[in-house]
Amino acid sequence: MENKPIARKLRLLSQLMELHDVNPFKVKSMANAAFKVDKLPFAAKDKTTAELEKVDGIGKSTATKITELLETGTMAELDELLAQTPAGVVEMMGIKGIGPKKVAVIWRELGIENVGELFYACNENRLVEAKGFGLKTQEDIGKAIQFTMDSHGKFLYVHAESVANELLQKLKGIFPDALINFAGEFRRCCEIINKLIIVIASQEGLAIINTLAQSEILGDIKATDSSISGRLPNGLLVDIVCVPKDDFYKELFIQTGEELHVQTVLSKITTLIEQPQSEEYIYKQAGLSFIPPELREGTVFIEKAENNTLPQLINYADLKGTLHNHSTWSDGINTVEEMALYCRDVLKLEYLGMCDHSKSAFYAKGLSIERVLQQQEEIDHLNKKLNGFHIFKGIESDILYDGSLDYPDEILKRFDFIVASVHSILKMDEEKATSRLIKAIENPYTTVLGHPTGRLLLSRNGYPIDYKKVIDACAANNVVIEINANPLRLDLDWRWHQYALDKGVWLSINPDAHRREGFLDMQYGILAARKGGLYKERCLNALSLHEIKQVFEFKSESRESPKVRM
C-alpha cells in the first residue's frame, strides 16, 4: 500500500473520530499524522513500526495503526467507527465544503443519512434551519453534490436540459441550412439521461463531421463517416448522427424510440419506406396514429395507436391550479401571500393549495395544532383580500410508522384537503411499506397520496411497495395519487400511470414548491405525466376552481357516504 491510500485511511479515521466526539486532541493528532504520511519522502510500507514512530508527527500509537493497516488491510478502530456510521453519512464527509462537525449536525439533528437526502434538503431550504448553516453554505453544498452526481455520467433531465438546449442552438448556428433535432432519451423526456443524441440532416454530411471534429464544442471526440461522439464540459456524452436530408425523419424516428418500440412499429409496415417526409407518415404506414416521442417506450401505447384511442396528452396550459406547496410557516422561503400572488399574477392560475409540514416533521418546523389554526386564520383573511383567486387549506400530514396520520380527526376535518406522505423511517420491506401506505390511504381524511415511494432520483431508490395493491387501494378509497413534480422525485413513476388510470385513479401534478420559483417545477411534472399517458380530464389540478371545490366537498361528504366519488 502506497503512502496516499494510507493517508486517506488515517484522514477518514480522524474525520470519524471527530464525528463521534472523540477527544479533540486525538482527532487533531490523527489529522496531522494523515498529512505527514502523505508528504513522507519515503514509502511507509518499507519502514518498521519503531522507525515510523520516530517520525515527527506520527508517534507510537499512529505508527502501530499504520503497521496494522499494512499487515491486515484495515484498522480495528476504523472498522469500529465505520460500523457505528451509516455508509451515506461517511459519503457526506467527502463533499466539498462540509466537515465532520457539520455532517454530525446534518445526521443527528436533521436525520439525513445519505447524499441524496442532503441534496433534496438543500433544494427544500432545510439546511438553513440547522445550527452553523447559512444560505450560502446550503447553496455551495447543493452545487458540490450536483457536480458529483453529474460526474458519474448519469444526469437528471433537469440538469441536462440547459446544456442540451445550448448545444442545439450552437449547432443550428453553425449549420443554419441543416435539419436538426434531439432524439433518444432526451426527446422522450426520460427522467435520467445517459447520453444526448442529436440527428443532423444535410447534403454535406462529411463536411459536417469534419467541422464538428475541428470545433471545441465537444471533448474526447471520436468520428466515423456518419457520426461523431464526444463529451460536453460537464461530462454528458453526446452522439451526433449525420444523414442526408431525405433520410432525416426516418433516422429521427429510429434514433428517438426505445428499441422495442421502433422494431414493433417497423414490423407493421408492409411497404418499404425509403424517404418519409415526416414521422407521422411512418406511423400512418404502420396503421397507427402518430405516437408522441414521450410515449415511445416499449409497446404500451402501440395497441392504443392501432385502435385510434391514444390519449390527448396533458399540457402545461391545462393546469388551473397548484397543490402541495410550502411557505414560511414550515420550511418554505416565501409567505403564503407571496406564493398566492405569484400564482395569480405571474402564473395566471386560479388557486393555490398550501400544504405545510405537519407536527411530526420537526426538522421542517412542522405545524403544531395551535399553528395550524393560526395559519388557517391567515388564509381566511387572504381569501377575503385576493380577488379572483382562492387558497385552499391543506397540510402535508406525515404517515406515521403504523400508517396513521399525525393529527386527531377534529383537526384533520378542518382542512380542505390532505396530502399524506411518508418522511421518516424509510427503511422498510415491501410488506411493511405497502401496509403502511394502505392504512393511510384508507383514512377517510386522506385526499392525495404524496410522493408514494419517497425516491430521490440517482440518490435513493425509495422504499419498495406493491404498486398494484397501493393503486388498487387508492381506487377503492377515492384517493388521488401525486406526481411529485420536483425533478429529483417525479414520483409516482410514470411507468405506473397507466395502471392507475385504468383503475379509475386520478393523478395530481404537484410541485412541492418551497419557494415561488419551485412552482416552475410543474413543467417537469407535466413531462413525467405525458410519459405516463395522463390527460387533463383525469388530472386533479387541471380542474377549474369551481370543479375542484366540488371534488373537495364530495371527499368530505364521502366520509359520511362512501358511495360519493369524483
Side-chain angles (χ1 to χ4, degrees):
M1 185 180 290
E2 301 302 320
N3 286 359
K4 283 194 176 295
I6 295 172
R8 282 197 293 268
K9 291 287 188 182
L10 295 175
R11 175 63 178 162
L12 176 59
L13 178 57
S14 73
Q15 291 175 317
L16 289 170
M17 290 167 68
E18 186 174 0
L19 182 72
H20 290 280
D21 295 322
V22 173
N23 185 302
F25 176 79
K26 291 184 177 180
V27 173
K28 185 176 181 181
S29 176
M30 189 58 61
N32 288 339
F35 178 80
K36 177 64 70 173
V37 169
D38 189 42
K39 302 299 181 183
L40 286 177
F42 54 81
K45 62 183 175 65
D46 294 334
K47 302 294 182 180
T48 65
T49 304
E51 289 172 321
L52 286 172
E53 69 179 69
K54 293 178 182 178
V55 176
D56 181 46
I58 291 182
K60 184 176 181 179
S61 176
T62 304
T64 302
K65 287 181 173 61
I66 293 172
T67 301
E68 180 187 5
L69 178 63
L70 290 169
E71 291 177 350
T72 68
T74 187
M75 293 178 284
E77 186 175 358
L78 177 62
D79 289 344
E80 182 180 340
L81 290 174
L82 285 171
Q84 300 172 30
T85 316
V89 173
V90 177
E91 186 182 0
M92 280 193 283
M93 289 194 295
I95 298 171
K96 183 180 179 181
I98 53 174
K101 281 187 170 57
K102 281 189 166 61
V103 172
V105 172
I106 291 167
W107 176 26
R108 295 199 176 98
E109 294 186 16
L110 301 181
I112 294 171
E113 292 193 353
N114 64 54
V115 173
E117 292 174 356
L118 178 57
F119 187 49
Y120 185 73
C122 290
N123 280 272
E124 291 205 336
N125 198 48
R126 289 186 184 166
L127 250 61
V128 294
E129 299 297 330
K131 182 180 179 181
F133 290 84
L135 189 59
K136 180 65 164 59
T137 302
Q138 178 176 266
E139 290 175 352
D140 289 345
I141 291 171
K143 289 177 182 177
I145 296 173
Q146 181 174 328
F147 177 82
T148 302
M149 291 168 63
D150 292 348
S151 67
H152 290 164
K154 292 185 177 182
F155 290 73
L156 297 180
Y157 181 94
V158 65
H159 295 159
E161 186 179 26
S162 60
V163 293
N165 287 325
E166 182 180 348
L167 174 60
L168 190 71
Q169 292 309 309
K170 285 182 179 179
L171 292 173
K172 287 182 176 180
I174 297 172
F175 310 111
D177 297 326
L179 298 172
I180 307 176
N181 204 349
F182 293 119
E185 296 167 329
F186 190 79
R187 190 174 180 223
R188 297 201 308 273
C189 300
C190 294
E191 63 271 41
I192 295 172
I193 308 299
N194 294 281
K195 181 189 293 185
L196 190 63
I197 299 177
I198 296 175
V199 177
I200 297 182
S202 171
Q203 300 309 120
E204 308 296 330
L206 191 57
I208 286 179
I209 298 294
N210 290 335
T211 299
L212 290 174
Q214 294 170 18
S215 75
E216 297 182 354
I217 292 178
L218 300 176
D220 301 329
I221 288 176
K222 296 178 182 178
T224 69
D225 290 342
S226 60
S227 68
I228 188 166
S229 64
R231 196 181 296 269
L232 290 172
N234 69 344
L236 179 59
L237 291 172
V238 179
D239 274 358
I240 300 175
V241 180
C242 301
V243 294
K245 280 192 173 181
D246 289 341
D247 294 332
F248 177 70
Y249 291 103
K250 183 176 181 179
E251 192 66 28
L252 185 63
F253 165 77
I254 291 171
Q255 293 291 341
T256 294
E258 182 268 333
E259 185 177 359
L260 179 59
H261 177 91
V262 172
Q263 294 306 317
T264 303
V265 172
L266 292 178
S267 70
K268 294 178 176 293
I269 298 174
T270 56
T271 304
L272 185 64
I273 304 176
E274 290 292 342
Q275 297 172 333
Q277 296 304 299
S278 68
E279 288 184 300
E280 286 83 353
Y281 183 74
I282 295 173
Y283 283 101
K284 183 177 180 181
Q285 290 299 103
L288 304 170
S289 304
F290 175 72
I291 299 179
E294 300 97 318
L295 302 183
R296 299 182 196 176
E297 305 278 354
T299 60
V300 173
F301 289 96
I302 289 179
E303 183 177 349
K304 292 180 183 292
E306 208 161 22
N307 298 327
N308 201 30
T309 57
L310 279 174
Q312 182 67 42
L313 297 180
I314 191 167
N315 288 302
Y316 189 89
D318 294 324
L319 301 182
K320 304 302 180 187
T322 172
L323 305 170
H324 186 177
N325 304 289
H326 301 264
S327 72
T328 50
W329 279 92
S330 62
D331 59 345
I333 291 287
N334 297 106
T335 66
V336 175
E337 183 172 12
E338 289 170 340
M339 300 285 269
L341 290 173
Y342 187 85
C343 288
R344 186 191 70 175
D345 300 338
V346 178
L347 302 181
K348 308 301 180 185
L349 297 174
E350 299 177 13
Y351 53 87
L352 163 69
M354 288 311 308
C355 282
D356 279 298
H357 284 285
S358 60
K359 63 178 184 178
S360 297
F362 60 90
Y363 53 85
K365 297 194 302 181
L367 275 61
S368 65
I369 290 176
E370 181 182 12
R371 295 181 68 229
V372 165
L373 301 179
Q374 290 170 349
Q375 186 192 52
Q376 291 191 349
E377 283 185 16
E378 179 183 319
I379 291 174
D380 285 337
H381 171 73
L382 288 171
N383 278 332
K384 292 176 183 177
K385 176 181 175 182
L386 298 173
N387 295 321
F389 191 81
H390 187 79
I391 304 170
F392 287 106
K393 301 169 187 172
I395 195 77
E396 186 178 17
S397 184
D398 268 30
I399 300 174
L400 304 180
Y401 191 65
D402 65 356
S404 60
L405 304 185
D406 62 343
Y407 289 117
D409 288 357
E410 58 265 29
I411 296 300
L412 293 174
K413 69 182 180 182
R414 297 182 65 93
F415 296 105
D416 294 317
F417 74 108
I418 291 170
V419 174
S421 306
V422 171
H423 289 111
S424 60
I425 315 178
L426 304 183
K427 295 176 182 178
M428 301 174 282
D429 59 25
E430 182 177 304
E431 182 179 0
K432 174 58 184 176
T434 301
S435 64
R436 183 179 179 183
L437 290 186
I438 289 177
K439 182 174 179 181
I441 291 163
E442 291 174 344
N443 187 308
Y445 292 96
T446 299
T447 315
V448 179
L449 176 63
H451 44 71
T453 72
R455 76 178 187 180
L456 296 175
L457 294 168
L458 293 182
S459 303
R460 184 176 75 199
N461 289 330
Y463 36 86
I465 64 172
D466 185 320
Y467 282 91
K468 290 186 177 181
K469 285 184 179 180
V470 170
I471 292 170
D472 290 349
C474 288
N477 292 276
N478 199 21
V479 168
V480 177
I481 299 180
E482 172 178 86
I483 302 172
N484 190 292
N486 186 309
L488 279 72
R489 286 192 183 274
L490 300 179
D491 183 18
L492 179 70
D493 192 306
W494 60 264
R495 295 162 184 83
W496 288 97
H497 293 183
Q498 275 301 296
Y499 183 83
L501 293 170
D502 290 344
K503 288 292 181 175
V505 175
W506 284 56
L507 303 176
S508 181
I509 300 171
N510 296 341
D512 200 353
H514 286 68
R515 65 192 77 199
R516 286 175 298 191
E517 296 80 5
F519 291 122
L520 303 179
D521 283 347
M522 288 193 292
Q523 64 183 306
Y524 301 110
I526 285 287
L527 296 182
R530 287 174 63 87
K531 281 194 72 62
L534 180 62
Y535 41 97
K536 69 177 183 179
E537 291 79 9
R538 293 284 288 284
C539 177
L540 181 63
N541 57 311
L543 295 176
S544 68
L545 175 58
H546 174 71
E547 291 169 331
I548 201 167
K549 278 184 176 180
Q550 287 186 317
V551 167
F552 292 156
E553 288 170 4
F554 289 164
K555 179 66 177 177
S556 178
E557 292 172 13
S558 72
R559 290 195 287 270
E560 305 299 326
S561 174
K563 293 182 180 180
V564 175
R565 293 188 58 81
M566 291 192 294

